[in-house]
Amino acid sequence: MELDKILGIEYPIIQGGMAQISDGEFAAKVSEAGALGVIGSGNMTGEELREQIRICKSLTQKPFGVNLLLLSPHSDHMADVVVEEEVPVITTGAGSPAKYIDRWHRAGIRIFPVVPNPTLAIRMERYGVDGVIVEGNEAGGHIGDMTSMTLIPQARDRVNIPIIAAGGIASGRQLLAAQILGAVGVQIGTLFLSSTECPIHAKYKELLLKSKYNNITVIGQIAGLPTRMIKNQMTRNYIMEEKKGKDKMELERYTLGALKTAVETGDLKKGSFMAGLALSQIEEIRPIKEILEGLMREYREEL
Ligand SMILES: Cc1cc2nc3c(=O)[nH]c(=O)nc-3n(C[C@H](O)[C@H](O)[C@H](O)COP(=O)(O)O)c2cc1C
């Protein structure tokens, strides 16, 4: 896998940006451990993002990234902040990065949008991005329609830029499978949630260890914005109301701030405990370095 060489890091692994979770300190720890740590900007303001970037830079000299959700009302300001703070890598989600690409490239930033289908991968290639992260719907958080098994090869056949696979990857075998399907590296979210260093509430981590694939559900399949998470009271209420035909705006009362609630208070009833289908493969909470070494060891053995 070549992503390590492309990004100048030790392992061909990106830690997926996670709003409310992957702050500057966590991203720095991931980068120090040899993958690419990514700050999840979520709904931060530009200045809040600047603070997290500075924390990250004070803790590591290694490359790191920032994930920008481009539907944020603060996107234009954040687009300036990443240039001013000399962020080496940007991943984008929720919206098009087109209008920022020239400026970011002039600043030497490498750009990797996250896409859920080959059509968007083709569009991003036309915009001149450096690669695409294709995310299968096994992933935790907001998801598209395609599975990694179908998405990675179909994107590979349609674009010439590097492809990074995301969604459902939590073992060296899956790293190798992603490579065979056409990826130069992988992006991982759920497995990083289970790291010792991940700044989520202890109850979130306990729930990760207790839950299996059959404890996972997707809300928003009817109302829009499908999101994968662990089943609880909140998801049951949401899905019941969704089936009654309530629209996305009405349903927001369940989800607004629910990820923050899960991360900060571990409220098992009201929180949104986002996690992907790879959850069943997680058996213990381990330091980031151990997780990464385990993945690479298994990858090499399988190879
Ligand atoms: C708790 C959680 C929060 C996430 N937040 C974001 C986000 O803010 N922006 C984004 O682009 N992706 C987000 N993702 C997706 C991850 O960056 C990553 O692509 C995904 O987790 C990969 O699939 P996996 O969970 O199967 O490893 C989130 C995922 C999780 C589990």
Side-chain angles (χ1 to χ4, degrees), residues 16-19 21 67 69 135 138-140 166-169 187-190 193 204 274:
M18 294 185 275
I21 297 172
N67 172 254
L69 297 179
E135 191 190 60
E138 299 94 327
I169 298 164
Q187 168 165 294
I188 290 177
T190 300
L193 287 177
Y204 198 154
M274 294 185 188

Side-chain angles (χ1 to χ4, degrees), residues 129-252:
V129 302
D130 301 274
V132 280
I133 300 168
V134 298
E135 191 190 60
N137 68 10
E138 299 94 327
H142 300 306
I143 53 171
D145 292 325
M146 291 185 77
T147 58
S148 293
M149 189 65 140
T150 51
L151 174 55
I152 307 166
Q154 291 186 33
R156 179 66 292 153
D157 289 344
R158 286 169 178 77
V159 299
N160 294 309
I161 48 177
I163 284 180
I164 296 143
I169 298 164
S171 70
R173 269 183 298 169
Q174 288 161 316
L175 232 75
L176 182 58
Q179 179 178 15
I180 291 169
L181 294 175
V184 297
V186 299
Q187 168 165 294
I188 290 177
T190 300
L191 182 60
F192 278 110
L193 287 177
S194 73
S195 63
T196 314
E197 297 89 336
C198 187
I200 55 175
H201 198 278
K203 286 195 190 147
Y204 198 154
K205 288 192 191 174
E206 270 170 40
L207 190 64
L208 291 172
L209 292 182
K210 265 205 316 228
S211 309
K212 295 283 167 259
Y213 64 89
N214 51 346
N215 299 115
I216 290 179
T217 189
V218 177
I219 67 167
Q221 298 211 82
I222 308 170
L225 204 62
T227 311
R228 195 181 289 289
M229 59 188 71
I230 299 172
K231 285 178 195 168
N232 65 356
Q233 191 64 52
M234 189 280 281
T235 64
R236 275 190 286 278
N237 291 343
Y238 187 106
I239 291 170
M240 207 166 61
E241 298 293 315
E242 196 178 15
K243 283 185 181 152
K244 287 186 197 157
K246 294 266 170 71
D247 67 21
K248 210 163 73 185
M249 297 296 275
E250 287 177 278
L251 291 165
E252 263 197 358

